[in-house]
């Protein structure tokens, strides 16, 4: 959330195990202070805050592979990648041509080749001031990022404002909820229509067009841009009408359905993914893909799944989790008298995102659900005007949902994912050839330094590089001298091989503090 970081919690204890700084500054590790972290942040190294939204792990054939976690910064239009072997951010990209990256998901099949992310706000293109007062020239884009290089693959222009996104289990289709089909510029203007859209993208068609050079670019950016606007009758997109100002979009673990959550409608819309090919071929119309539209309650935002045919939708206004059965909802849509709602559970209060254990993969196990509640009010001890939020753990293993844990947390965590521990196997020590420190190793080689051995000061005019080793509790040199006005870089190699013997280095009154883990 607004802290700009990722937190790792254990389930079912809900204890916080680790914090991974991403878009923020962290004095415990030196993130945002060290040269390496500034290089990773790249052109946004001077931005010291972020609004972290949607963490999602890379997949292989629809299963988590424990390699990367991707997360977006809505505030500053960035996407970052976390390496799960060291639980550190290793890449960061500012998305060009757009403003405010919101929904983010990964391609699930055959592997995470792409990261899909929405730019939410419509802006002039190019955004250089010339069309600032002409909203007819505003638009936004669906963005596709190469997961390995963390560079842009292509962008797709769309109508309206994009919200959340998800992908199917074939690799061909991704979908985004889209509000403001009115293309208004005020809140009232953007809420008039009873239906907005779920925008579906044919990723294969997009790739084919980019490969054939059938794209344009915007301003100084060289990123391929495809026209997917509704009025263009694009072969890249289809606009499925759904009620109203849809927010979350979630793929069922069996790969059969997209579920679009209405937000300003009491309904969610169930769309059959196996009908999308016919839609793009022109054999059926957009609403022919809809197989259910159950009424659940007030303010449906996000839906999770248990792998047993049940869905769990957060009701923001009702402050409830609604458990419903997908097949029963389809039967009711076809005219049969069946009660598809199985249970409603009060939560405390205003739930946004919710996630089930492994529920975003083929491996949904139906054990637990986490509800991220945006308000806690009187739930915890008073901490002043800024209250702790409430992460609630719910047991869904039986026929009824049971609330088992309330957990206070800081500054509105926005989203989460739940991954079985067997999927993630972090290193216990750093490796000496870790790519994060490649530039440091190159400089050391240029200076004739062996990092594992040498303690030496290299003077290069007013640039001074101090190389030293450390073995707890000592550094390889007791002091070094530099001149006022020098630019001093300190490089430390931790020679300890014992897990958790993490050293630190700080310089009083200089704003310097950094973590140096074993073998780092």
């Amino acid at each position: 959330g607004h802290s700009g970081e990722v937190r790792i919690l254990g389930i079912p204890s809900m204890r916080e195990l680790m914090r991974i700084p991403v878009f923020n500054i962290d004095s415990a590790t030196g993130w945002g202070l060290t040269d390496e972290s500034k290089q990773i942040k790249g052109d946004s190294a001077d931005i010291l805050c972020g609004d972290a939204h949607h963490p999602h792990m890379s997949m292989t054939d629809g299963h988590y592979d424990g390699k990367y976690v991707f997360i977006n910064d809505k505030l500053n239009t960035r996407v970052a990648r976390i390496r799960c072997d060291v639980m550190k951010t290793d890449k960061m990209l500012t998305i060009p041509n757009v403003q405010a990256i919101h929904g983010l998901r990964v391609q699930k099949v055959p592997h995470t080749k792409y990261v899909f992310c929405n730019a939410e706000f419509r802006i002039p293109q190019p955004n250089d001031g010339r069309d600032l007062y002409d909203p007819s020239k505003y638009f936004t884009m669906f963005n596709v990022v190469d997961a390995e290089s963390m560079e842009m693959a292509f962008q797709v222009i769309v109508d309206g404002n994009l919200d959340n996104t998800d992908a199917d289990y074939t690799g061909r289709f991704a979908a985004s909820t889209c509000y403001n089909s009115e293309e208004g510029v005020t809140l009232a203007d953007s809420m008039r229509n009873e239906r907005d859209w779920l925008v579906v993208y044919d990723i294969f068609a997009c790739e084919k067009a980019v490969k054939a050079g059938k794209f344009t670019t915007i301003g100084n950016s060289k990123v391929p841009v495809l026209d997917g606007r509704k009025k263009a009758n694009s072969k890249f997109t289809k606009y499925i009408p759904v009620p109203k100002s849809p927010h979350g979009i979630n793929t069922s673990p069996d790969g059969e359905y997209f579920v679009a959550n209405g937000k300003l409608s009491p309904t969610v819309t169930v769309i059959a993914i196996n009908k999308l090919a016919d839609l793009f071929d022109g054999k059926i119309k957009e609403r022919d893909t809809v197989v259910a539209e159950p009424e659940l309650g007030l303010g449906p935002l996000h839906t999770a799944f248990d792998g047993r045919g049940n869905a769990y939708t957060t009701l923001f206004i009702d402050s409830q989790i609604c458990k419903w059965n997908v097949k029963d909802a389809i039967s009711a849509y076809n005219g049969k008298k069946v009660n598809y709602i199985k249970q409603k559970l009060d939560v405390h209060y205003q739930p946004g995102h919710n996630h089930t254990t492994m529920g975003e993969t083929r491996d949904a196990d139906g054990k637990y659900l986490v509800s991220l509640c945006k308000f806690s009010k009187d739930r915890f001890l008073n901490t002043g005007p800024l209250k702790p939020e409430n992460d609630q753990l719910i047991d869904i293993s039986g026929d009824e949902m049971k609330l088992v844990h309330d957990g206070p947390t800081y500054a509105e965590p926005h989203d989460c994912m739940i991954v079985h521990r067997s999927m993630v196997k972090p290193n216990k020590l750093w490796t000496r050839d870790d790519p994060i420190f490649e530039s440091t190793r190159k400089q050391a080689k240029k200076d004739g330094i062996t990092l594992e051995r040498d303690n030496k000061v290299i003077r290069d005019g007013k640039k001074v590089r101090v190389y030293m080793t450390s073995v707890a509790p000592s550094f390889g040199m007791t002091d070094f001298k530099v001149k006022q006005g020098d630019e001093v870089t300190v490089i430390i190699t931790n020679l300890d091989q014992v897990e958790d013997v993490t050293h630190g280095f700080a310089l009083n009154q200089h704003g310097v503090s950094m973590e140096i883990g074993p073998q780092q």
Side-chain angles (χ1 to χ4, degrees), residues 72 107 182 218 227 273 319 370 436 447 453:
N72 60 296
Q107 190 176 35
E182 305 87 347
I218 294 177
D227 191 347
I273 294 173
S319 290
V370 168
I436 288 177
D447 287 336
R453 181 189 66 208

Side-chain angles (χ1 to χ4, degrees), residues 226-414:
L226 305 171
D227 191 347
R229 285 174 285 194
K230 190 174 189 294
K231 63 195 91 174
N233 194 25
S234 167
K235 61 184 177 182
F236 310 120
T237 57
K238 293 295 179 183
Y239 289 71
I240 301 174
V242 298
K244 172 183 184 183
S245 293
H247 185 64
I249 170 70
N250 304 97
T251 308
S252 61
D254 57 13
E256 291 189 22
Y257 307 109
F258 285 140
V259 176
N261 302 266
K263 191 165 73 171
L264 299 186
S265 164
T267 61
V268 300
T269 303
V270 182
I271 290 157
I273 294 173
N274 65 5
K275 294 187 177 185
L276 295 178
D278 285 345
L279 174 62
F280 275 85
D281 289 341
K283 296 177 182 178
I284 60 174
K285 295 186 180 300
E286 285 82 358
R287 285 287 296 183
D288 293 336
T289 63
V290 176
V291 295
E293 209 153 57
E295 184 175 313
L296 303 179
L298 298 182
L301 291 188
H302 299 278
T303 295
F305 305 91
D306 62 10
R308 301 189 299 268
N310 300 310
Y312 302 77
T313 299
T314 50
L315 303 177
F316 183 79
I317 303 301
D318 286 338
S319 290
Q320 292 179 320
I321 303 293
C322 177
K323 177 182 178 180
W324 54 283
N325 185 270
V326 178
K327 296 296 185 185
D328 287 347
I330 294 172
S331 295
Y333 191 73
N334 291 325
K336 295 183 180 179
K337 291 185 177 181
V338 57
N339 183 16
Y340 47 79
I341 293 178
K342 303 306 176 184
Q343 184 190 0
K344 289 187 176 181
L345 180 71
D346 293 338
V347 291
H348 199 293
Y349 299 99
Q350 259 79 69
H353 280 274
N354 66 335
H355 283 284
T356 53
T357 41
M358 303 294 286
E360 292 189 318
T361 73
R362 298 186 193 272
D363 304 313
D365 60 23
K367 293 181 179 179
Y368 292 104
L369 177 144
V370 168
S371 174
L372 301 182
C373 302
K374 294 181 181 293
F375 296 94
S376 61
K377 298 178 182 176
D378 56 349
R379 178 64 187 87
F380 306 108
L381 290 174
N382 181 27
T383 55
L386 179 61
K387 312 297 183 189
E389 313 300 347
N390 191 3
D391 294 346
Q392 295 190 291
L393 182 66
I394 298 166
D395 185 336
I396 61 170
S397 60
D399 291 334
E400 291 189 355
M401 296 182 284
K402 295 181 180 179
L403 179 64
V404 294
H405 192 277
D406 282 13
T409 189
Y410 177 65
E412 200 202 341
H414 189 88

Side-chain angles (χ1 to χ4, degrees), residues 39-79:
Q39 289 170 11
I40 290 167
K41 293 179 76 174
D43 61 4
S44 64
D46 60 328
I47 299 177
L48 307 182
C49 60
D51 182 14
H53 270 236
H54 301 104
H56 293 288
M57 182 176 282
S58 54
M59 297 190 193
T60 299
D61 194 29
H63 308 280
Y64 287 137
D65 60 19
K67 189 173 183 180
Y68 300 124
V69 167
F70 301 90
I71 189 165
N72 60 296
D73 173 14
K74 181 175 178 180
L75 178 64
N76 302 300
T77 317
R78 294 179 290 182
V79 172

Side-chain angles (χ1 to χ4, degrees), residues 174-193:
S176 301
T177 48
C178 184
Y179 68 94
N180 191 23
S181 54
E182 305 87 347
E183 300 197 333
V185 293
T186 67
L187 183 61
D189 287 344
S190 67
M191 296 169 61
R192 290 195 174 97
N193 292 345

Side-chain angles (χ1 to χ4, degrees), residues 26 35-36 60 96 104 128 157 197 208 214 274 294 318 322 357 361 363 380 393-394 429 434 517:
D26 183 61
D35 289 350
E36 288 90 355
T60 299
L104 177 146
D128 58 7
I157 303 172
W197 299 306
K208 186 176 180 180
K214 297 178 180 179
N274 65 5
D318 286 338
C322 177
T357 41
T361 73
D363 304 313
F380 306 108
L393 182 66
I394 298 166
L429 302 171
D434 194 286

